């Protein structure tokens, strides 16, 4: 496979959520213009209570214009480690803290056009700390379901978020 080298880069959009570049790339005699998004890094976590229930969040997603049932997660703030972001996001979105964290893996959400990574964790030994407060812009309903019920929620289309599917897949691999 030929490596594609960047020859020219022009920033075409800049926002706190992501920036976008138009790049002129080449491989040998072939030249192309491509768009590349640079979102902030993300984290997701599977909060697993001692009773076998997973703490989920349901929130409105503007991209699909409908609510989405997901695991908690969010952006890694500048200078913040992914593990610290996971702890912060879990508390903000669910009101829980975790006594045990296991990194399940790191995925590239859409490497065709995006440069960021998403770290995925298992959060265990959960303790209720406070009412969820979100980040100020989120409207979140917290729900719990048995871990054994997750595959049916995926099969039925109740859970469709691809990063959530990746997280449960990584959890399954870790438990094999």
């Amino acid at each position: 496979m030929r490596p594609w080298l960047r020859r020219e880069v022009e920033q075409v959009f800049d926002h706190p959520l992501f920036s976008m570049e138009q790049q002129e790339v080449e491989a040998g005699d072939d030249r192309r213009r491509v768009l590349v998004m640079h979102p902030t890094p993300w984290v997701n976590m599977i909060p697993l209570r001692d009773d076998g229930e997973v703490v989920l969040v349901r929130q409105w997603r503007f991209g699909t214009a409908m609510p989405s049932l997901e695991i908690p997660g969010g952006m890694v703030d500048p200078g913040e480690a992914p593990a610290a972001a996971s702890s912060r996001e879990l508390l903000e979105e669910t009101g829980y803290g975790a006594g045990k964290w296991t990194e399940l893996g790191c995925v590239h959400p859409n490497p065709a056009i995006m440069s960021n990574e998403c770290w995925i964790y298992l959060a265990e030994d959960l303790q209720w700390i406070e009412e969820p407060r979100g980040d100020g812009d989120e409207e979140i309903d917290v729900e719990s379901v048995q871990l054994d019920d997750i595959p049916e929620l995926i099969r039925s289309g109740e859970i469709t978020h691809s990063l959530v599917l990746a997280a449960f897949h990584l959890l399954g691999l870790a438990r094999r």
Side-chain angles (χ1 to χ4, degrees):
M1 176 164 311
R2 303 177 298 168
W4 287 83
L5 306 174
R6 280 183 265 173
R7 294 299 178 211
E8 294 180 30
V9 176
E10 175 189 357
Q11 187 167 355
V12 295
F13 183 78
D14 189 31
H15 185 274
L17 294 177
F18 69 92
S19 63
M20 184 178 294
E21 294 174 346
Q22 179 173 277
Q23 300 177 359
E24 187 169 314
V25 297
E26 71 178 21
D29 291 336
D30 295 330
R31 292 181 79 87
R32 294 184 189 168
R33 287 194 183 278
V34 298
L35 290 175
V36 177
M37 292 175 58
H38 298 289
T40 60
W42 299 330
V43 292
N44 278 343
M45 70 282 325
I46 299 173
L48 185 59
R49 295 191 329 210
D50 292 341
D51 63 3
E53 290 209 341
V54 177
V55 179
L56 300 171
V57 294
R58 189 179 301 271
Q59 56 188 317
W60 187 265
R61 291 304 191 187
F62 294 100
T64 56
M66 59 190 227
S68 179
L69 185 61
E70 307 172 0
I71 56 177
M75 298 186 311
V76 178
D77 290 338
E80 187 178 38
S86 292
S87 182
R88 175 182 51 75
E89 288 286 347
L90 178 64
L91 183 62
E92 284 177 3
E93 294 191 0
T94 70
Y96 282 96
K100 180 181 177 188
W101 290 91
T102 305
E103 184 176 328
L104 297 174
C106 183
V107 298
H108 292 100
N110 186 351
I113 61 169
M114 298 167 67
S115 64
N116 69 327
E117 297 173 315
C118 180
W119 285 270
I120 300 169
Y121 294 88
L122 173 64
E124 297 176 287
D125 298 333
L126 300 183
Q127 304 89 32
W128 172 257
I129 296 175
E130 63 188 27
E131 285 296 319
R133 60 186 187 281
D135 66 4
D137 290 328
E138 298 169 316
E139 295 178 20
I140 296 174
D141 291 330
V142 179
E143 303 178 19
S144 299
V145 301
Q146 282 293 318
L147 179 60
D148 291 343
D149 294 337
I150 295 294
E152 183 52 35
L153 292 172
I154 293 170
R155 270 192 295 278
S156 71
E158 180 70 16
I159 294 176
T160 61
H161 192 306
S162 61
L163 293 174
V164 176
L165 301 179
F168 284 111
H169 178 70
L170 288 171
L171 178 62
L173 293 175
R175 292 189 157 195
R176 280 190 191 162

